[in-house]
Amino acid sequence: MTETRKLLQGQTGDWEVVVGLEVHAQVSSKSKLFSGASAEYGAGPNENVSLVDAAMPGMLPVINKYCVEQAIRTGLGLNAKINLWSRFDRKNYFYPDLPQGYQISQYKDPIVGEGEIEVELDGGETINVGIERLHLEQDAGKSIHDLAPNASYVDLNRSGVALMEIVSKPELRSAEEGAAYFSKIRTIVRYLGTCDGNIEEGSMRADVNVSVRRPGEELGTRTETKNVNSIRFTKQVIDFEARRQIEILEAGGTIDQETLLFDPKTGKTRSMRSKEDAHDYRYFPDPDLLPLEFDQAWVDEIKASLPELPDAKKHRFMDQYGLSPYDALVLAADKAKAAFFEQVAKDRDGKLAANWVTGDLFGALNKAGKEIAGSPISADQLGRLIDLITDKTISGKIAKDVFALMFDGEETGDPAEIVEKRGLKQVTDTGAIEKVVDEIIAANPQQVAQVKDKPKTMGWFVGQVMKASQGKANPQAVNEILKKKLGVE
Ligand code: MN
């Protein structure tokens, strides 16, 4: 962590923003953490509720081994320590959508300990962010207050669904860093397949801890904004909270340790309750569950089965294909995009392939509102198109035209055939190019006179020749012939 990172300017000097995120990621699992009820999204109210989830007296939780394995996978993806011994605790609090009266979570002994990940910021800078822990816990149900004027309803479908709570160290220093970190966690769990990352369906949400301090001073009092359900809102919360706290402190006030809610409509936070401390929850080991204990061999086996992770892939793309950190990041951030790129780049110029994939293709997909999986141009087609540029069959300009024809569905199949059929082959026949050049020189005596004094104006002639040849003249040949005929060095 460098000390020069982004300070916020107040009325009375600079402030440092200190942010820690607790990201809750729902485990991609068919059934819940301690019951066999379905964990699927979108069922009717209370359709996925077992007696365990409804906390009927005498019901006992049974640990879901699959969920434990996903937590270990995620821990390994966060370069974190896997604890071979961990246990579940009861976190006691009353809430209408928590029928047990406590949440089964992990407190002193989480399944995953400290780790560290790389987070890329806009502008190419990369920071390392420490992970404090990852623990498993069950989700609560959902209270519904807006369905009837005089009643509240409860839907327990989510009750008991497995969550991984990933806690960062308070090492983030701005709204941008907080958002980039959240986004990176999402990329990692999606790569691993341990969480689907569908933030809009509630699969991921963040509790956002924010405090401010003068550079070099002790940590200030923090506020915690609960259940922030988008990356954009996370950014807004950090910005808003930092500004709000600085204003209070500069006016001579103090910050209350509070739990807040974010209102996306106003872009502001508001108080939910004064913050409780850990001891308020009366944590104690859950007597219904045995500690989790497994051996290193199982962890090693899981480690061996992990896919290549985004950071490793990013570095490999830089080494193997000579990509810039930015291009490597953009391509590695999504498994499907990375695979597409590698198919295009195979046995070709990696940088050229990256330019076409991140520039032309992603641009067109974006504009059309399409995902890479629905790309009208296949990796094979794009690769063949690039081959036509490399072997000088067509110019880059014509390639863009062919690309557009294929993307819009006006042409399908092999780009070489499209080029052949449409007569788009590059003219490298110098005789033919010379003829066009002679005509243009003869028709423009004024420009010819000008180019003697200002050699840079030769670009105008290049444009004219390309236009006359409908983009098919080989630009290199055009340049050479023009130089010769115009006497430009
Ligand atoms: Mn939690």
Side-chain angles (χ1 to χ4, degrees), residues 197-434:
N198 291 336
I199 300 181
E200 58 292 345
E201 289 179 4
S203 289
M204 291 185 88
R205 53 190 197 258
D207 297 342
V208 183
N209 292 284
V210 181
S211 65
V212 298
R213 65 175 170 189
R214 296 290 189 187
E217 284 186 0
E218 297 282 291
L219 287 176
T221 305
R222 68 186 166 89
T223 60
E224 176 176 4
T225 307
K226 282 279 183 196
N227 290 329
V228 180
N229 58 4
S230 89
I231 292 174
R232 187 162 57 89
F233 295 161
T234 299
K235 209 170 171 178
Q236 285 182 356
V237 164
I238 298 169
D239 263 332
F240 179 81
E241 266 304 293
R243 290 282 169 202
R244 185 184 73 86
Q245 293 180 17
I246 289 170
E247 251 175 58
I248 291 173
L249 292 171
E250 292 195 326
T254 51
I255 304 301
D256 295 328
Q257 188 182 336
E258 282 182 298
T259 301
L260 308 172
L261 281 179
F262 176 68
D263 184 351
K265 284 195 201 95
T266 60
K268 294 178 178 172
T269 60
R270 62 185 159 83
S271 184
M272 184 177 158
R273 56 177 184 255
S274 68
K275 173 64 185 175
E276 58 289 306
D277 280 309
H279 59 251
D280 295 321
Y281 289 115
R282 304 295 192 274
Y283 277 102
F284 67 88
D286 192 314
D288 290 341
L289 289 156
L290 288 168
L292 285 178
E293 217 174 338
F294 35 81
D295 50 26
Q296 188 59 40
W298 191 45
V299 176
D300 293 343
E301 204 180 296
I302 294 171
K303 191 168 190 177
S305 77
L306 293 188
E308 183 183 32
L309 287 163
D311 285 345
K313 191 163 280 191
K314 184 184 80 180
H315 291 297
R316 182 169 63 79
F317 280 6
M318 288 162 66
D319 296 341
Q320 188 177 337
Y321 300 107
L323 302 191
S324 69
Y326 180 78
D327 280 349
L329 169 69
V330 168
L331 290 165
D334 183 284
K335 233 180 176 171
K337 287 177 179 170
F340 191 101
F341 161 71
E342 288 214 87
Q343 211 186 324
V344 176
K346 192 166 185 292
D347 301 325
R348 299 191 177 97
D349 178 347
K351 272 190 191 166
L352 188 58
N355 284 344
W356 276 90
V357 173
T358 61
D360 300 86
L361 182 66
F362 289 177
L365 288 173
N366 233 342
K367 220 169 136 190
K370 287 191 163 108
E371 296 291 328
I372 189 85
S375 170
I377 299 182
S378 69
D380 180 55
Q381 276 179 307
L382 187 52
R384 285 163 187 256
L385 183 65
I386 291 171
D387 288 341
L388 296 177
I389 309 170
T390 314
D391 69 14
K392 300 198 165 61
T393 305
I394 55 173
S395 65
K397 162 83 181 57
I398 294 289
K400 286 191 195 288
D401 296 343
V402 176
F403 178 93
L405 289 169
M406 295 194 295
F407 195 90
D408 297 338
E410 279 181 57
E411 291 286 1
T412 52
D414 187 354
E417 279 165 27
I418 298 169
V419 165
E420 187 67 52
K421 190 176 82 184
R422 295 204 170 224
L424 297 172
K425 269 196 180 162
Q426 188 158 251
V427 179
T428 41
D429 170 4
T430 46
I433 297 172
E434 272 187 52

Side-chain angles (χ1 to χ4, degrees), residues 22 24 91 103 105 135 137-138 163 165 207 226:
E22 297 164 24
H24 288 80
K91 184 181 184 181
Q103 177 191 29
S105 181
H135 65 254
E137 63 183 26
Q138 47 175 197
L163 301 178
E165 180 171 331
D207 297 342
K226 282 279 183 196

